[in-house]
Amino acid sequence: MRIAILDDYQGVALDTADWSVLGADLEVFREPLGDADAVVAALAGFDVVVAMRERTPFPRAVLSRLPGLRLLVTTGMRNAAIDLTAATELGVVVCGTRGGAAPTVELTWALILGLVRGVASDDAVVRAGGWQTSVPGDLEGSTLGVVGLGRLGQRVATIGRAFGMDVVAWSPNLTEERAAAAGATAVTKAELFERADVVTIHLVLGDRTRGLIGADDLRRMRRTAVLVNTSRAPIIDQAALLQAVAERWIAGFALDVYEIEPLPADHWIRHPDAPGGTRVLRSPHMGYVTRGNYRTFYGDAVEDIAAFAAGSPVRALTG
């Protein structure tokens, strides 16, 4: 059995699980493979591919050109970059792994705290020989707006309450009862963006949520408010985000997700200072990246492969 382990950016895949039990020929790819032709060329001859989240897309056009592929393992139980319908039709079994919600929740709050309290900018001032130059904001007594009150959003809301924040929430199907159970108040989308001092996004990307947050929403935000996105970049209209920054509609934003990943070197978000002097925090899609989560991801990947080889796939995904 030949197994390809993709997008192991940190070079930890082989040390995070016991792959020896498979008795297989392993090859690790640490860098992105490139476009569809490059993916097909690199993976020709592999029986099994282990994909890290959505770093490498597997549309029908790629899967159909990998006739030797028998098993595709993705970390997590959802991967929008894999065409599950095509995989089933082509006889490719797709299996997922478990994964924890805590890492993304923790990073969300790291970004909120870093943004509101100016941690990165204060660090830069001290390193440059300076001292106190700014007056940061407060969490206690302010309003947290949670867009998407699902598994992650509920945990983020709970922590917001612990900081003494007033929590409001909105999502397309949110009821007052579900919001109250999470310690939040259900409001309209417009009201959330008008009231919140911190807006944080926790929605799954799909047809209904792509571009869901647009210029009208960002214009409603207070000029002192900040926006945090640890979900998926296309949920926010990226042109509207750039306009909001350039015209200083908001005080700052923090991102862990981008339309193109890895982020191109010349992308405007990489600039040291965003247009308009807006505060910015950038994280390279680290929401799910922790030692514990990687142990779960790769440990389950080994289990998936062993179960498939034994004729009894586990955690199988279907379209």
Side-chain angles (χ1 to χ4, degrees):
M1 186 188 303
R2 294 192 66 210
I3 302 172
I5 303 172
L6 305 188
D7 298 310
D8 181 16
Y9 294 167
Q10 294 92 355
V12 297
L14 297 184
D15 298 326
T16 313
D18 182 8
W19 299 87
S20 67
V21 299
L22 300 175
D25 176 15
L26 300 171
E27 185 169 348
V28 176
F29 296 85
R30 292 194 57 181
E31 301 295 329
L33 296 179
D35 62 15
D37 289 340
V39 171
V40 170
L43 299 183
F46 284 97
D47 308 289
V48 177
V49 169
V50 178
M52 174 56 73
R53 304 292 291 180
E54 296 167 0
R55 293 176 183 175
T56 298
F58 285 92
R60 180 182 295 272
V62 168
L63 292 171
S64 64
R65 296 167 62 192
L66 294 172
L69 182 62
R70 300 160 52 209
L71 173 66
L72 176 57
V73 176
T74 174
T75 55
M77 292 298 291
R78 180 189 295 117
N79 190 327
I82 296 175
D83 186 334
L84 292 175
T85 301
T88 300
E89 292 175 2
L90 294 166
V92 178
V93 176
V94 181
C95 295
T97 73
R98 295 169 297 166
T104 301
V105 174
E106 292 168 1
L107 180 67
T108 296
W109 276 103
L111 293 174
I112 292 173
L113 287 163
L115 200 56
V116 172
R117 293 305 304 262
V119 175
S121 55
D122 282 348
D123 172 75
V125 167
V126 174
R127 284 190 287 111
W131 201 238
Q132 294 185 9
T133 60
S134 63
V135 180
D138 303 274
L139 291 182
E140 186 173 15
S142 66
T143 299
L144 175 69
V146 182
V147 180
L149 201 62
R151 183 174 62 126
L152 295 176
Q154 289 176 24
R155 296 182 68 163
V156 169
T158 298
I159 296 170
R161 296 270 296 182
F163 274 115
M165 302 180 77
D166 178 30
V167 181
V168 297
W170 174 85
S171 60
N173 300 310
L174 181 64
T175 63
E176 292 183 1
E177 292 75 18
R178 281 182 51 216
T185 301
V187 296
T188 66
K189 183 184 178 191
E191 186 178 358
L192 184 145
F193 281 91
E194 289 168 357
R195 287 179 54 181
D197 298 290
V198 177
V199 174
T200 179
I201 301 168
H202 302 283
L203 293 169
V204 174
L205 178 63
D207 291 339
R208 291 198 308 161
T209 58
R210 186 177 298 274
L212 182 67
I213 297 172
D216 289 345
D217 303 303
L218 300 179
R219 284 184 185 275
R220 288 190 173 96
M221 292 179 68
R222 303 176 183 179
R223 292 177 65 86
T224 55
V226 298
L227 175 70
V228 176
N229 188 8
T230 56
S231 292
R232 289 293 182 269
I235 294 172
I236 303 175
D237 182 318
Q238 296 297 291
L241 178 61
L242 175 56
Q243 186 178 5
V245 171
E247 298 181 9
R248 197 64 165 76
W249 300 350
I250 58 177
F253 68 91
L255 302 178
D256 185 48
V257 288
Y258 310 90
E259 283 194 306
I260 303 173
E261 297 183 5
L263 194 63
D266 60 350
H267 198 284
W268 70 268
I269 289 176
R270 282 192 185 269
H271 296 174
D273 297 303
T278 305
R279 298 196 307 275
V280 181
L281 279 182
R282 311 156 185 85
S283 176
H285 206 156
M286 297 292 284
Y288 60 91
V289 180
T290 65
R291 287 188 293 272
N293 233 16
Y294 270 24
R295 283 193 292 268
T296 300
F297 283 167
Y298 288 123
D300 280 7
V302 171
E303 289 181 5
D304 286 351
I305 298 168
F308 174 80
S312 303
V314 294
R315 290 184 285 267
L317 306 179
T318 57

